[in-house]
């Protein structure tokens, strides 16, 4: 039934745009009917977006537009460019050791990583592609370093827009776009539902990758005092060594501190913005045990995104069928 709903709506939209017989018109994007996806940031957890998109395609859920922040912009852009399979192959081929060859470390720069090696890999697949050349709308969200303004990139170089959206402060160097220094969009709009609403999309589905990181917001009252040293953990000798996720999250270091700070920022900003402009439906893959820098765990993240979406397909279909302009009578 859902296929007929969107098929009929597409026919009406085509007629409204002058579809039918007549002289050939210049190539232009035809606005499609379907859901709008707001793909949130999350660094390595962002691989879950691949699973989400695969599940939606398998269920024949049409996608009208994608607004992406950080990794959401990267995955969304590759999907609309028809390169999702290539991105999945790249992601699942990463290992702890193999990841190093894509990191061009810099000393004294604005970020630890220049990002040009990753950019060259993207150019291999997406060279010459522009956002306006895609068959559906894509908006990449970034933040301007000097003013703190939220920036919506909806035209121009696809690779440059994606790089600007995932330029995590302190990790990647800011990206120069049209004379502005841009940083990761998660600093201003971690789950860009508001972007989809601004483009007058009726059905907005958000993918929030840090919903379960901290639980509900709370205020704690403490008495200042010294903490007792942690008790030593018994060493397991009866099985192969494993790294417990909870223990890994408790390890403190510069990287861990930066990751925790960025997680808190994303969580608090997204809760505030989504409360004021909620989506019609929110998907929340349980990816909290995947660290921000654990890009080599793509297979697990993709599976979690796929599973969450397939479990909610019936709910997505009900939301689509209830839309006034798309309802099949």
């Amino acid at each position: 039934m859902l296929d007929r709903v969107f098929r009929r709506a597409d026919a009406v939209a085509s007629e409204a745009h002058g579809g039918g017989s007549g002289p050939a018109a210049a190539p232009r994007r035809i606005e499609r009917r379907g859901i709008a996806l707001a793909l949130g940031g999350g660094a390595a957890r962002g691989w879950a977006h691949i699973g989400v998109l695969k599940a939606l395609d398998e269920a024949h859920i049409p996608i009208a537009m994608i607004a992406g922040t950080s990794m959401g912009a990267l995955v969304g852009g590759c999907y609309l460019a028809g390169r999702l399979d290539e991105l999945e192959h790249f992601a699942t081929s990463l290992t702890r050791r193999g990841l190093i060859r894509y990191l061009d470390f810099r000393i004294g720069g604005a970020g630890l990583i220049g990002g040009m090696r990753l950019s060259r890999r993207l150019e291999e697949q997406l060279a010459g592609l522009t956002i306006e050349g895609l068959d559906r709308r894509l908006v990449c969200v970034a933040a301007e370093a000097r003013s703190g303004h939220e920036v919506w990139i909806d035209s121009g170089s696809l690779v440059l827009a994606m790089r600007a959206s995932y330029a995590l402060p302190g990790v990647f160097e800011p990206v120069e776009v049209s004379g502005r220094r841009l940083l990761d969009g998660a600093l201003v709009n971690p789950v860009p539902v508001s972007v989809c609403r601004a483009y007058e999309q009726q059905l907005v589905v958000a993918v929030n990758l840090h919903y379960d990181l901290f639980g509900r917001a709370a205020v704690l009252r403490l008495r200042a005092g010294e903490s007792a040293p942690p008790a030593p953990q018994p060493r397991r000798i009866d099985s192969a060594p494993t790294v417990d996720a909870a223990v890994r999250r408790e390890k403190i270091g510069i990287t861990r501190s930066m990751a925790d700070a960025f997680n808190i920022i994303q969580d608090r900003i997204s809760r505030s913005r989504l409360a004021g402009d909620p989506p019609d439906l929110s998907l929340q893959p349980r990816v909290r045990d995947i660290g921000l820098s654990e890009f080599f765990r793509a297979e697990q993240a993709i599976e979690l995104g796929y599973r969450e979406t397939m479990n909610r397909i019936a709910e997505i279909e009900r939301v689509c069928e209830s839309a006034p302009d798309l309802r099949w009578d």
Side-chain angles (χ1 to χ4, degrees):
M1 175 179 289
L2 194 61
D3 286 340
R4 290 184 294 164
V5 170
F6 287 108
R7 195 159 53 240
R8 182 180 182 185
D10 281 337
V12 172
S14 178
E15 292 175 5
H17 284 286
S21 60
R28 60 190 174 91
R29 178 191 294 143
I30 296 177
E31 297 297 334
R32 298 189 181 189
R33 298 288 178 162
I35 65 173
L37 283 180
L39 303 182
R45 302 182 189 109
W47 294 135
H49 293 313
I50 297 177
V52 171
L53 290 166
K54 289 177 62 177
L56 292 174
D57 277 353
E58 285 186 19
H60 305 292
I61 304 293
I63 298 172
M65 77 163 283
I66 293 177
T69 293
S70 194
M71 280 292 286
L74 173 65
V75 176
C78 289
Y79 171 80
L80 294 182
R83 298 291 191 273
L84 189 66
D85 289 341
E86 289 84 347
L87 181 65
E88 181 180 8
H89 180 267
F90 168 75
T92 55
S93 68
L94 292 175
T95 62
R96 284 180 185 267
R97 186 169 299 176
L99 185 63
I100 301 298
R101 69 176 180 268
Y102 295 105
L103 307 181
D104 45 342
F105 293 99
R106 295 190 176 184
I107 303 298
L112 294 176
I113 301 171
M116 296 312 298
R117 292 183 186 175
L118 286 172
S119 178
R120 284 194 293 271
R121 185 61 187 262
L122 289 174
E123 288 285 359
E124 291 175 6
Q125 297 292 332
L126 306 171
L129 288 183
T130 61
I131 296 175
E132 59 268 33
L134 303 175
D135 65 345
R136 281 161 287 181
R137 188 181 300 280
L138 171 71
V139 181
C140 300
V141 179
E144 188 182 12
R146 295 187 179 93
S147 67
H149 291 160
E150 183 174 340
V151 178
W152 297 356
I153 308 175
D154 60 0
S155 61
S157 168
L158 176 59
V159 171
L160 191 61
M162 294 190 299
R163 283 185 56 213
S165 190
Y166 69 65
L168 185 65
V171 178
F172 290 103
E173 290 193 340
V175 177
E176 293 283 344
V177 178
S178 300
R180 298 178 184 271
R181 297 175 66 234
L182 302 185
L183 297 170
D184 196 307
L187 293 170
V188 289
N189 198 349
V191 187
V193 172
S194 59
V195 179
C196 298
R197 297 296 189 199
Y199 281 89
E200 301 181 355
Q201 294 296 317
Q202 186 178 5
L203 302 173
V204 181
V205 175
V207 183
N208 188 347
L209 301 179
H210 41 268
Y211 176 82
D212 62 339
L213 283 179
F214 299 105
R216 294 181 179 275
V219 177
L220 304 178
R221 298 181 63 182
L222 295 177
R223 179 182 181 276
E226 297 293 336
S227 299
Q233 297 293 322
R235 183 178 180 182
R236 296 180 59 181
I237 59 175
D238 58 337
S239 61
T242 59
V243 180
D244 184 78
V247 173
R248 185 173 63 249
R249 286 197 300 271
E250 292 302 319
K251 292 183 178 179
I252 301 298
I254 294 177
T255 303
R256 179 73 267 167
S257 296
M258 290 177 60
D260 286 345
F262 198 68
N263 281 331
I264 293 170
I265 291 170
Q266 285 192 91
D267 179 70
R268 294 300 180 255
I269 294 176
S270 62
R271 286 176 186 274
S272 176
R273 297 205 60 158
L274 292 177
D277 197 356
D280 297 286
L281 188 143
S282 185
L283 301 176
Q284 297 144 0
R286 305 304 184 187
V287 291
R288 63 169 295 172
D289 288 334
I290 298 177
L292 285 178
S293 61
E294 294 180 328
F295 289 94
F296 51 85
R297 299 179 66 186
E299 190 170 347
Q300 180 182 353
I302 293 170
E303 175 59 27
L304 290 169
Y306 178 86
R307 190 186 311 160
E308 166 70 8
T309 307
M310 292 304 293
N311 289 340
R312 306 283 297 278
I313 285 297
E315 191 175 350
I316 296 172
E317 290 179 339
R318 285 196 299 271
V319 171
C320 292
E321 292 172 3
S322 67
D325 293 342
L326 305 177
R327 185 172 57 245
W328 178 263
D329 293 322

